[in-house]
Amino acid sequence: MSAWKDAAVKEAEVAQGRVRYRELGTGDPIVLVHGLLTNGELWREVAPRLAADFRVIVPDWPLGSHELAMREGTDFTLPGLAAIVGAFLDALDLHGVTLVGNDTGGAIVQRVAVDHAERVGRIVLTPCDAFDNFLPPLFKPLQVAARIPGSVFLIGNSLRPRFARQLPLAFGWLAKRRLPDDMTDSFLAPLLADRRIRAEVTALLRGVSKRFTQETAARLGEFGRPVLIAWATEDRVFPVEHADRLARAFGDARVEHIEDSYTYVPTDQPQRTAQLIAEFAREPAPAPAPAA
């Protein structure tokens, strides 16, 4: 944990605004992508384990738990969020990135794979939105509520009591083990403190459509680079059969299972999650296909 607290905190400038991130270690780059209403803290037990051998970059993406609001007019649909990730990789001039996604972040990574893959060398998907499961049925009420002015603030306030965060509609079915209070505090603080962040969450929820994940899935075969799908066998939100379905969509992907975990494998099983990512990132890059 001390390695995480001591990690350098930096900012990258992209067209959409500034993205704050932590950086640990040296070596080939691994960039971690969290989901809706979480931030880089989700990876705090995984990132130091990876930093022994890699340059690990952990941004607070603009998904509702970030402190730096984006510029007015930013596109918060899935293609727009993927564009922010692509712009971030450009801003840091990263090459051959291992891009890792969880929850909503996995849907974003899939979209990066088809729209902004120039700097991506390989992909890791942990339990995440895909196909017609965007948002999952459990969280559909958030989309409906987002159409009512002021509802996002009310939702955030309803989660001020820490016990409420363990309910299924909050984090209860995403993490098998109770998330640390300081972690969930960090997830909710920007939403409660900044009306600009609330406006961004509202725009994001209103822009969610399974049309984006469906059209992305139809193009995943274009990626053509190594893919690891590391899925929780007990996930209650993202069907485990989607792991095999994603592997078929990519055309050449390996599936690994993570036991005793829900969606948040970085918190439920950080050692296993880090091990799978590190082993995959160490594998030699495949030789390019011969020209026809």
Side-chain angles (χ1 to χ4, degrees), residues 197-281:
I197 303 298
R198 294 194 292 274
E200 292 179 1
V201 172
T202 300
L204 192 160
L205 289 170
R206 290 179 178 178
V208 166
S209 171
K210 64 183 180 182
R211 170 175 63 89
F212 293 126
T213 43
Q214 288 170 336
E215 68 185 23
T216 300
R219 296 178 54 203
L220 291 177
E222 300 173 11
F223 181 63
R225 280 159 246 172
V227 177
L228 171 66
I229 299 169
W231 217 269
T233 56
E234 298 179 40
D235 201 302
R236 306 178 75 169
V237 178
F238 300 108
V240 68
E241 56 265 26
H242 278 189
D244 290 329
R245 190 175 170 190
L246 280 165
R248 291 193 298 270
F250 276 104
D252 184 18
R254 186 169 82 242
V255 176
E256 296 282 355
H257 291 133
I258 299 177
E259 307 290 341
D260 194 24
S261 178
Y262 291 168
T263 299
Y264 289 166
V265 294
T267 62
D268 279 337
Q269 294 295 336
Q271 183 171 344
R272 169 71 168 157
T273 301
Q275 176 189 8
L276 287 171
I277 295 169
E279 289 176 352
F280 179 64

Side-chain angles (χ1 to χ4, degrees), residues 24 80 86-87 114 172 175 182 212:
L24 302 82
V114 301
D182 67 311
F212 293 126

Side-chain angles (χ1 to χ4, degrees), residues 64-135:
S65 299
H66 57 298
E67 295 180 341
L68 303 178
M70 295 289 100
R71 294 192 175 95
E72 187 174 349
T74 293
D75 179 3
F76 288 98
T77 65
L78 184 61
L81 293 168
I84 293 173
V85 175
F88 179 86
L89 302 183
D90 288 344
L92 270 63
D93 194 25
L94 300 174
H95 300 273
V97 172
T98 297
L99 191 63
V100 184
N102 177 257
D103 190 26
T104 328
I108 296 170
V109 168
Q110 291 168 57
R111 192 70 186 204
V112 172
V114 301
D115 283 349
H116 306 281
E118 298 83 6
R119 295 179 179 272
V120 180
R122 61 187 73 215
I123 278 174
V124 180
L125 295 179
T126 64
C128 63
D129 302 78
F131 308 111
D132 59 352
N133 197 36
F134 182 54
L135 290 174

Side-chain angles (χ1 to χ4, degrees), residues 1-7 24 44-45 48:
M1 187 64 177
S2 61
W4 173 255
K5 290 182 177 179
D6 294 341
L24 302 82
R44 71 188 191 188
E45 297 291 339

